[in-house]
Amino acid sequence: MEKSTVFNNRLLPYLLLLPQLVVTVVFFYWPASQAIWQSFLREDAFGLVSEYVGLENYQALFAQPEYYRSMLTTVVFSTLVAALSLSIALLFATQADKNLKAAPAYKTLMIWPYAVAPAVAGVLWFFMFQPSLGMLARPLRGMGLDWNPLLNENHAMMLVVMASVWKQISYNFLFFLAGLQSIPRSVIEAGAIDGAGPMRRFWTIIFPLLSPTTFFLLVVNVVYVFFDTFGIIDAVTGGGPAGATTTMVYKVYADGRLGGDLGGSAAQSVVLMVIVIALTAIQFRYVERKVQY
Amino acid sequence: MVEHRPLTDFIAYAILTLGVFIVAFPVYLALIASTHDAATVVGGHMPATPGAQTLENYYRAIFVGGARTSREPVANMLINSFVSAIGIAVGKIFISILSAYAVVYFRFPFRKTAFWIIFITLMLPVEVRIYPTYKVAADLRLLNTYAGLILPLIASATGTLLFRQFFMTVPDELLEASRIDGAGPFRFFWDTLLPLSVTTMAALFVIQFIYGWNQYLWPLLITTQDSMQTIVIGIKKMLVTTDELAEWQLAMATAVLAMLPPVAVVIFMQRLFVRGLVQTEK
């Protein structure tokens, strides 16, 4: 869609665009191209000497068992967080969509964790499950379970998953509720007249109509798990124990900062960029198709 | 829903109440912990009701800082968080409303190119290009400055897209009428477009304020001095000591203070926030 009436001015539009373009070029395009360039270089630990090594950083990266491990960790982590936060949010949204008097109040009470910083969410959950003082850790230990997220890899993963899901439910809830409320009541009523019960109506009418929202949320959630959970992981486990919660993004940070391996870290950044661009492209193709319907 | 059976309503209420409980419980515990003394919290038998140390804990957290971790007091971190969150929100609104105005209301060579240059930034969050961005900021001497905390985070297209969408819905007749009145691009922008954009600006402000307040990785890298630390970073540093020594009651008071501003913004500006969020994302 285009405006039919516009201003004619040669210089002004460029001046208006200038601030945004400067910020974007300096803090987006320049670093992004540097990341790609650096991924072909090897630098010494002080960053004084660098030489072009072609694809060596990538070869080294894909020869590392730890890299595959971080990929697997990322897949497990994203799948768990996306599946749990989507299904829990959908359950709450379908209930809040019923004609309840208190529905608006419940909506307000549900959405605010969106505003809690991921790192703070991580600290809150760590406090509940800290092995010696955590209020929820003590009953677990009381039941004879040797609960210790500081030492046990699976426990650490469970803890970061719980904190990440907790943080994401409100966002998914909001979008599911908006999606549910845009489904015409007449369609659901028609189903009811045909004798379909509530469960049947949900699975045959509501859920399919909700699929664009679900797909959109799936992509957004995966991107959330990739990037925004960094704060949770750093605050709760620091990538440990023994690398059990080191996701791909965390590894970029850890290798670059602690390891001083800038070339390897840059190669990892580029791999991540490709994954995110692919995800975004899938989302756009899907959204485009939806528009044509 | 079609039927109105007491049983389904009861189940709905029960499930939603459980949801609210799950959502609120961690925060409730943090609140409780921030009112007890250190020994009660660390002892592992914290009661479920508030203690008597509230004022003392918050006073120490805000003005004194942790004794063992010897970090900055929270008051200073709160100021840093406010400055950077407001800077990110205002900066983003400023650069994106201008560029959206340019792409929508002007025809000029490379207009499409300019739009795509901005649009592509949607794809890559700062986390992906973290070290090269750090290097650029360091070369520009932006380490430990507010500009360094703010500028790299406003380099994305969300705001531009939101304003562009909104400008598209503004009727053409308004521009025609202004032109008949003899208004140029500046007057049309200032007298007509800006007043109409107030709600869009407010929605964007809410979302970007929360985004800026909650940043973690970028402030972690760009600030090396404790005096420039934001509260979200500060809270984690309070726990870095070995667990027995961490002052959990102060850390939890800090967590409560770190949550308060963004949560208050979401609750009080709920309608704007929801509208803005659904518009930017879809």
Side-chain angles (χ1 to χ4, degrees):
Chain A
M1 214 178 79
E2 300 273 311
K3 289 270 173 196
S4 52
T5 23
V6 290
F7 288 108
N8 292 311
N9 196 310
R10 288 225 176 133
L11 190 61
L12 187 59
Y14 296 106
L15 287 176
L16 292 171
L17 279 167
L18 194 66
Q20 173 130 32
L21 288 181
V22 168
V23 172
T24 308
V25 168
V26 173
F27 294 105
F28 183 90
Y29 284 97
W30 179 241
S33 54
Q34 283 294 304
I36 296 170
W37 174 232
Q38 235 168 31
S39 71
F40 299 114
L41 300 178
R42 181 166 47 215
E43 287 185 45
D44 66 0
F46 304 102
L48 299 174
V49 194
S50 59
E51 68 174 312
Y52 183 82
V53 293
L55 292 174
E56 234 174 67
N57 285 322
Y58 291 93
Q59 284 165 352
L61 188 62
F62 286 107
Q64 255 184 57
E66 296 92 54
Y67 195 56
Y68 292 102
R69 182 151 188 236
S70 78
M71 277 183 170
L72 184 67
T73 306
T74 309
V75 171
V76 171
F77 184 47
S78 326
T79 312
L80 285 174
V81 173
L84 285 171
S85 65
L86 283 172
S87 45
I88 295 172
L90 182 58
L91 173 68
F92 293 149
T94 48
Q95 303 312 309
D97 188 41
K98 289 179 179 164
N99 266 324
L100 302 179
K101 277 204 191 80
Y106 276 111
K107 190 175 157 191
T108 308
L109 289 170
M110 291 288 294
I111 64 171
W112 57 266
Y114 171 87
V116 176
V120 174
V123 168
L124 295 181
W125 281 78
F126 185 57
F127 179 62
M128 291 195 291
F129 284 99
Q130 207 275 351
S132 62
L133 60 93
M135 200 167 227
L136 298 183
R138 276 182 289 122
L140 287 175
R141 292 177 83 90
M143 288 189 293
L145 183 73
D146 189 19
W147 169 264
N148 194 339
L150 299 169
L151 299 174
N152 183 305
E153 300 177 7
N154 291 333
H155 296 171
M157 177 57 93
M158 277 190 247
L159 190 51
V160 287
V161 167
M162 284 192 286
S164 308
V165 170
W166 180 82
K167 168 87 187 77
Q168 191 63 1
I169 287 176
S170 57
Y171 183 93
N172 295 343
F173 171 79
L174 214 56
F175 277 85
F176 272 135
L177 192 58
L180 284 168
Q181 285 173 346
S182 70
I183 295 175
R185 295 285 125 169
S186 54
V187 179
I188 300 166
E189 279 159 18
I193 291 167
D194 287 348
M199 284 310 265
R200 178 114 188 250
R201 286 201 302 269
F202 178 79
W203 289 114
T204 57
I205 304 171
I206 299 174
F207 192 69
L209 285 173
L210 215 52
S211 64
T213 310
T214 312
F215 186 81
F216 161 80
L217 283 177
L218 192 65
V219 175
V220 171
N221 276 274
V222 170
V223 174
Y224 159 79
V225 185
F226 267 52
F227 302 108
D228 293 345
T229 54
F230 179 89
I232 296 177
I233 293 174
D234 194 49
V236 175
T237 65
T245 52
T246 299
T247 56
M248 293 167 80
V249 172
Y250 200 83
K251 199 165 153 50
V252 173
Y253 166 77
D255 286 7
R257 170 143 208 174
L258 313 168
D261 174 16
L262 285 178
S265 168
Q268 294 182 39
S269 293
V270 174
V271 174
L272 268 176
M273 282 189 207
V274 173
I275 295 175
V276 181
I277 289 173
L279 274 174
T280 319
I282 294 170
Q283 189 191 347
F284 273 107
R285 269 196 63 178
Y286 187 83
V287 168
E288 224 167 89
R289 235 193 310 156
K290 200 180 74 188
V291 172
Q292 286 168 359
Y293 278 167
Chain B
M1 206 37 83
V2 190
E3 296 101 336
H4 234 315
R5 287 184 297 199
L7 184 65
T8 36
D9 278 12
F10 174 77
I11 293 172
Y13 276 117
I15 291 175
L16 285 172
T17 309
L18 177 72
V20 170
F21 176 78
I22 293 171
V23 155
F25 186 68
V27 176
Y28 177 75
L29 274 192
L31 268 170
I32 295 296
S34 70
T35 65
H36 285 286
D37 61 62
T40 315
V41 178
V42 178
H45 292 279
M46 192 179 79
T49 47
Q53 292 267 314
T54 317
L55 286 178
E56 200 182 319
N57 286 344
Y58 281 91
Y59 178 83
R60 267 194 62 205
I62 294 174
F63 298 107
V64 185
R68 298 196 190 91
T69 43
S70 73
R71 297 287 174 186
E72 286 294 302
V74 170
N76 194 18
M77 299 183 210
L78 280 172
I79 292 170
N80 292 336
S81 286
F82 267 111
V83 172
S84 53
I86 289 172
I88 287 166
V90 172
K92 185 95 134 194
I93 290 171
F94 177 76
I95 64 169
S96 37
I97 197 166
L98 291 185
S99 51
Y101 186 48
V103 246
V104 175
Y105 282 98
F106 293 85
R107 292 289 167 275
F108 55 94
F110 305 114
R111 188 175 70 101
K112 283 257 156 67
T113 320
F115 179 71
W116 277 100
I117 288 177
I118 298 169
F119 187 73
I120 286 173
T121 59
L122 271 188
M123 290 191 184
L124 295 178
V126 70
E127 281 83 357
V128 175
R129 52 201 155 82
I130 194 81
Y131 287 108
T133 313
Y134 173 81
K135 189 157 187 307
V136 169
D139 290 346
L140 295 172
R141 302 187 179 284
L142 292 178
L143 300 187
N144 293 310
T145 64
Y146 287 124
L149 276 167
I150 293 166
L151 289 176
L153 295 176
I154 64 177
S156 84
T158 42
T160 315
L161 289 185
L162 188 63
F163 281 120
R164 182 176 170 273
Q165 273 176 343
F166 172 69
F167 290 166
M168 287 304 200
T169 67
V170 174
D172 287 355
E173 287 77 14
L174 282 176
L175 176 56
E176 283 156 23
S178 307
R179 287 182 122 182
I180 291 165
D181 290 347
F186 285 106
R187 252 192 58 200
F188 173 69
F189 181 74
W190 194 256
D191 289 349
T192 312
L193 209 53
L194 213 54
L196 289 174
S197 312
V198 169
T199 30
T200 308
M201 275 158 61
L204 189 60
F205 183 89
V206 172
I207 293 165
Q208 292 298 324
F209 178 85
I210 294 165
Y211 166 81
W213 185 277
N214 290 345
Q215 279 301 312
Y216 186 83
L217 180 52
W218 182 247
L220 187 66
L221 286 182
I222 192 98
T223 61
T224 50
Q225 294 165 4
D226 285 349
S227 63
M228 282 303 290
Q229 216 162 70
T230 61
I231 190 164
V232 174
I233 304 289
I235 187 178
K236 191 239 166 174
K237 293 200 171 164
M238 288 185 158
L239 302 177
V240 168
T241 52
T242 52
D243 305 302
E244 280 71 27
L245 294 174
E247 291 176 281
W248 280 95
Q249 80 288 7
L250 295 192
M252 288 299 123
T254 310
V256 171
L257 291 168
M259 281 185 277
L260 221 52
V263 168
V265 166
V266 162
I267 289 175
F268 290 120
M269 314 209 36
Q270 197 188 139
R271 271 182 46 211
L272 278 174
F273 154 72
V274 172
R275 223 188 70 176
L277 192 70
V278 176
Q279 275 178 356
T280 27
E281 302 285 350
K282 272 203 170 170

